[in-house]
Structures are given as structure tokens and as C-alpha cells.
Amino acid sequence: MNNDHSSSGDRMQSRTASGLSGFLTNVKYLLKGKVLVANVLPVFTAFWLALYFSGEDFSSHFGTFLLTMIGSTLIIAGALMFNNWYEADLDKKMDRTQNRPTVTGAFTLTAVFRSAVITTILGFGIMLFTTVEAALYSFLGWFFYVVLYTFWSKRKYTINTIIGSISGAFTPLIGWAAVAPANHIVPVMLFYLLFIWQVPHTLAIAIRRLDDYTRAGVPMLPVVSGVPMTIRQMLIYIIALLPFPFVLLPSMGLIFFIVTLGLTAGWIILAFRGIKTMDTVLWARMNLRYSLIYLIITLLVMILVTI
């Protein structure tokens, strides 16, 4: 997942802020604040759902909950820092990443690399106190994002979007496996949701920031194959979300089904408009916002219907 670039005022603030507030601002940009939250939320959702479907009480698993949330957050943060460290040269060429401390020089690359290593090791160490399965999914998510996405495919292949999406899809498996084995239809479908959802979400960013990716030489799909082809691919992936509410209807109930199906139908309608639109940047911005609304509401509804 990627978050959009901030305003020029935010960038100037990042460059000039000092003291504790400046440090925290730089940390936020380093960890891609919204991206971190968007990856941690599925961990929490799946943990909650695992307790519900296992008939377990939250209070009796509070210690495991803290370990899971802290450990997974550190691992995700470590992966994001590795990404910023490795892509500092690309970020300097893109308007949307000018506020990152690896670009402004607020943090040295050596400091970012060491922080990434330490944070990742701490995260894995903590996750090992939950379950081996949860630690394994944490490693797989980290490996796909850092090694296969950041180090290998990002600069070479359009399939980088798919690989990055696989990485993010492991997050609900982490949360569920901390409570019970993830061989249940709910975590499997959450993996499916996160994988499919991230593709049109990321491609919407790539269309909106096409000039950035072109200038940096990143082979995103709209750079290599054009915007019309990318829009058609996005539509296919959004349509692929349709089975999600149907498969989980017996487990999650009618309210979940109606809300999720309605959200999916709305996104499909919006995606179809992209085929004939003349303003692809505006359309991409609308899709980006809708994708975030779709994910947040879907996960929150899954929590609310199981309270």
C-alpha cells in the first residue's frame, strides 16, 4: 500500500521542523503513517474474529493481543523503513515522496537501515511469544515486501504490484494465527480480500502519480502499458471482489453481506466510469479514496457484527 503525497506546506514543515515535533513528523513520513495503520488494522480485525469464532474471551487473551499488535507493528514498520532506505534514490525523483526524511536528509540512510534491522528483529522476537504460525506469516509478509517487492521486482517488473499485494494479504493471517490455526474460511477470505483490494488501490495511485513514476523509471502498469489498459485491469480486480460477501454470508450474517455487497457494487460502477472518462487523474483520485473507505468499512462491519 502506498499513501498519497502531502502538500508543499507539509513538505516544508518536514524540512524545517525541529525538536520533538519535528522528529515525530519525520518518523510519521518514514513509516508512511497511513500505510502502517492500514496494515495493522487487518491484524486487529482478524485477531478479534478469531476470538469470536473460537468462542474465546478477549480478557483471557489480552497479553497475546498486546504481543501480536506490538510485534506485527514493529515488523511492518521495519519493512517500511527498509523500503525507504532502499528507494531513497527513487524518492528524490518523485514529488509525492519529497517529505520523507531519507530525501530531506533529516535521517541518514545508515540510521534508517540500522533502525529497520533492529525494529524487525525486535518484532520477530516478540511474535515468537505468540504462536509459531503467526510468526511464520509475519516473516512471509516481511519477506514478500522487503526482498521480493522492494529489492527485486519494484524496479524491474510490472508484477511488483502483485507481489506487494501478496505481502499485505498476510496481515489478517497474523492476527488470526495468534489465537487459532488459520485454516478457517474467514482468515482465508480476508487474505483474498486484502490481496485483491491492494491491486486497484495501488494502480489508482500509479495513475494519479503517473508523471512521478515515469520520471523515476518505475515500471508500474500505466507507465509500461498505458492508462486505458490499467483501468481495464483495475475493473477486473474490483469485480473479483464480488465473491467475498457471498462466501462469508453464512459466517458473518446478512448485515455484513448487504454492506459489503453494496460497497463492491459502488466500486464496480465507479470503475466502469474510468473506461470513458477524460480526466483519468480525477477518476484515479476518486478510486483511491473509495478503496480506503471500502476497506475500513468492511473491516469495521466485520468487527461490529461479532460484538
Side-chain angles (χ1 to χ4, degrees), residues 72-241:
S72 62
T73 299
L74 287 173
I75 291 171
I76 294 168
L80 292 172
M81 284 190 280
F82 273 118
N83 179 266
N84 276 348
W85 166 74
Y86 190 74
E87 295 184 357
D89 59 326
L90 298 181
D91 289 342
K92 292 177 181 178
K93 302 176 184 178
M94 302 174 68
D95 289 339
R96 64 183 292 270
T97 53
Q98 290 303 298
N99 49 18
R100 292 179 182 171
T102 47
V103 174
T104 65
F107 296 160
T108 67
L109 291 180
T110 299
V112 171
F113 177 79
R114 289 175 178 172
S115 298
V117 172
I118 294 171
T119 303
T120 299
I121 293 174
L122 284 175
F124 282 129
I126 293 173
M127 286 305 302
L128 286 172
F129 285 96
T130 60
T131 67
V132 174
E133 186 178 355
L136 175 61
Y137 293 140
S138 300
F139 171 76
L140 290 174
W142 180 91
F143 181 80
F144 267 84
Y145 186 77
V146 175
V147 179
L148 299 184
Y149 172 71
T150 299
F151 293 170
W152 176 59
S153 67
K154 178 73 174 286
R155 300 170 186 252
K156 297 179 179 180
Y157 310 109
T158 58
I159 199 176
N160 63 46
T161 301
I162 304 297
I163 294 173
S165 297
I166 295 174
S167 170
F170 279 106
T171 52
L173 298 184
I174 297 170
W176 188 287
V179 176
N183 57 346
H184 189 285
I185 188 62
V186 173
V188 171
M189 289 308 297
L190 281 172
F191 180 95
Y192 177 84
L193 169 69
L194 267 295
F195 169 66
I196 298 296
W197 173 85
Q198 284 176 95
V199 177
H201 172 82
T202 303
L203 292 179
I205 296 173
I207 293 175
R208 188 182 179 192
R209 301 302 171 198
L210 181 60
D211 290 343
D212 266 358
Y213 285 110
T214 301
R215 184 165 52 252
V218 180
M220 301 298 289
L221 187 61
V223 175
V224 176
S225 301
V227 172
M229 169 64 76
T230 304
I231 292 175
R232 292 194 293 272
Q233 289 292 312
M234 289 175 63
L235 177 58
I236 292 172
Y237 277 96
I238 295 169
I239 291 174
L241 289 170

